[in-house]
Amino acid sequence: MIIIMEERASQEAISLVLEAIEAEGLKPFVNPGVERKVIAVLGVVDVEKVSVADKFAALTGVERVALVSEPYKLASRAHHPAGTIVNVRGVPLGGPELCVIAGPCSVESREQTLEIAHAVKAAGAHMFRGGAFKPRTSPYSFQGLGRKGLEILAEAREVTGLPIVTEVMDADDCDQANEFADVLQIGARNMQNFRLLKKVGGMKLPVLLKRGFGCKVEDLLMATEYIMAEGNMQVILCERGIITFEDSTRYTTDINAIPVIKHHSHLPIVLDPSHAAGDWRYVADIALAGIAAGADGLEIEVHNQPSKAKSDGAQALTPDKFVDFMTRARRVAAAVERSIRVPVVTG
Ligand code: PEP
Ligand code: MN
């Protein structure tokens, strides 16, 4: 349930509405930073609540009460009809301009990371990605450089100016990444790690939440709700492929998810074609399809020496291929009335 207050509703009227919500055993949530006060009523909505809605509608200063049928409230477009733009150090994610996040799967060394960071920056990427804490299927595979990796990422930001996106897997990773990163990524395997979701929900940094490969769109939006209910509204959603019977690619890109998420949620949606394909040959074409389908951004793995990569080398674009891709991406973006900002190259 959403309560929309009259534009000139007094603070006293708002307080009375908040009290009335609590008196019904429900939890009010005032969207911060929204000019017109919109109060989300969190709790289980059942048919009985319709009479409660009438009660709220009768209160002073209330313009109208809207019943939101979806189980997720804060992530729902009903709660926030305009699309949300997440601003990461001046880089917008969610507006008319597309945002391209690029970089290696893992931070392997200072040299490797800085070389790739310079290359993706020169090609026009807007943010830099790299994993310092890696969720690997095998405990014997490279697990990431940890804190050292975060320090390298911070240096990459310093020399390129690109904001840093990096994955966190537990509360300790979050505290460490908070010192160095600009966006906390929650990987597909942790999409329903509810303690982790609550932890990042209580933090200030934007969160990039990847869809679990066995999870429905609704599960993704419910997971988002865990973050937002803790107060962090800066959530970027990410489609990265799901498991189907098709095995010609690592996962199957659920291209449908992009317009579906845009319809149901106000949050920006990014496509990761790299993990979806698992093979660099398909990455560019799938990414272009994502732009055409309305994605607000892309997350793409790029490596200077894919054959030597410590993780996901098979799906990494080389810097040259990434440059070619960006040229094609600009054309497709223009065809669907979006654009990809060409960064001002300094120094
Ligand atoms: C990654 O981005 O490197 C990653 C592990 O992705 P996912 O969680 O989508 O598998
Ligand atoms: Mn990867």
Side-chain angles (χ1 to χ4, degrees):
M1 193 187 301
I2 310 281
I3 301 176
I4 298 111
M5 301 299 293
E6 283 166 2
E7 222 156 316
R8 282 196 216 109
S10 66
Q11 198 48 52
E12 197 195 338
I14 293 170
S15 301
L16 287 174
V17 171
L18 299 181
E19 276 170 31
I21 295 168
E22 274 164 357
E24 294 293 338
L26 297 161
K27 192 176 161 210
F29 189 97
V30 182
N31 210 347
V34 176
E35 245 169 60
R36 151 105 45 126
K37 282 285 166 274
V38 176
I39 303 166
V41 182
L42 307 181
V44 179
V45 177
D46 54 36
V47 185
E48 300 294 303
K49 295 278 176 341
V50 175
S51 62
V52 175
D54 289 343
K55 226 189 253 182
F56 294 153
L59 294 172
T60 309
V62 172
E63 186 181 288
R64 67 191 162 87
V65 175
L67 292 171
V68 179
S69 52
E70 289 115 344
Y72 44 87
K73 310 292 173 201
L74 302 174
S76 164
R77 203 176 263 283
H79 172 232
H80 193 291
T84 285
I85 299 179
V86 175
N87 193 298
V88 185
R89 282 182 168 252
V91 175
L93 216 165
E97 287 176 358
L98 262 95
C99 174
V100 180
I101 305 164
C105 180
S106 304
V107 175
E108 299 167 15
S109 70
R110 181 173 176 271
E111 293 65 35
Q112 166 250 13
T113 304
L114 295 185
E115 187 177 326
I116 300 170
H118 281 297
V120 300
K121 160 92 186 205
H126 309 94
M127 292 195 216
F128 186 63
R129 65 146 287 151
F133 306 104
K134 294 305 302 176
R136 303 306 301 279
T137 304
S138 164
Y140 310 117
S141 300
F142 177 61
Q143 305 285 308
L145 297 182
R147 190 175 183 87
K148 179 79 202 141
L150 294 175
E151 286 169 6
I152 295 171
L153 287 169
E155 189 178 346
R157 176 181 55 218
E158 210 172 292
V159 296
T160 61
L162 298 178
I164 300 298
V165 180
T166 200
E167 177 163 355
V168 288
M169 296 195 291
D170 63 24
D172 180 57
D173 295 354
C174 292
D175 293 333
Q176 295 196 61
N178 198 34
E179 294 175 45
F180 301 97
D182 302 298
V183 176
L184 302 174
Q185 175 170 311
I186 307 258
R189 289 157 192 81
N190 273 314
M191 189 202 88
Q192 288 184 312
N193 180 341
F194 300 116
R195 285 211 179 134
L196 182 60
L197 298 176
K198 284 187 176 186
K199 168 80 185 172
V200 297
M203 295 174 69
K204 295 262 181 301
L205 288 182
V207 177
L208 187 148
L209 179 64
K210 299 184 93 173
R211 177 182 179 186
F213 37 74
C215 296
K216 296 190 297 179
V217 165
E218 186 172 304
D219 299 331
L220 172 64
L221 294 171
M222 289 310 294
T224 306
E225 204 70 10
Y226 270 87
I227 302 172
M228 300 180 87
E230 294 297 317
N232 191 345
M233 299 288 125
Q234 308 271 94
V235 184
I236 302 154
L237 304 172
C238 180
E239 166 61 41
R240 49 78 72 213
I242 53 172
I243 293 184
T244 67
F245 57 81
E246 180 53 65
D247 61 2
S248 58
T249 48
R250 193 172 170 196
Y251 296 95
T252 299
T253 310
D254 182 8
I255 208 82
N256 301 9
I258 298 169
V260 168
I261 287 171
K262 288 218 87 74
H263 174 70
H264 288 289
S265 177
H266 55 93
L267 295 169
I269 168 82
V270 161
L271 175 68
D272 168 353
S274 307
H275 291 87
D279 185 329
W280 67 268
R281 290 172 191 82
Y282 312 129
V283 166
D285 291 337
I286 295 170
L288 297 178
I291 298 174
D296 298 301
L298 298 165
E299 184 176 31
I300 298 183
E301 288 190 345
V302 176
H303 201 287
N304 52 346
Q305 289 180 293
S307 62
K308 295 201 177 136
K310 290 195 173 162
S311 59
D312 287 348
Q315 68 198 32
L317 294 184
T318 57
D320 284 354
K321 292 200 169 67
F322 183 63
V323 169
D324 293 345
F325 163 71
M326 287 297 282
T327 307
R328 297 174 68 203
R330 287 199 175 85
R331 287 196 212 116
V332 175
V336 292
E337 283 154 28
R338 305 289 286 272
S339 64
I340 299 181
R341 194 199 307 189
V342 181
V344 182
V345 180
T346 50

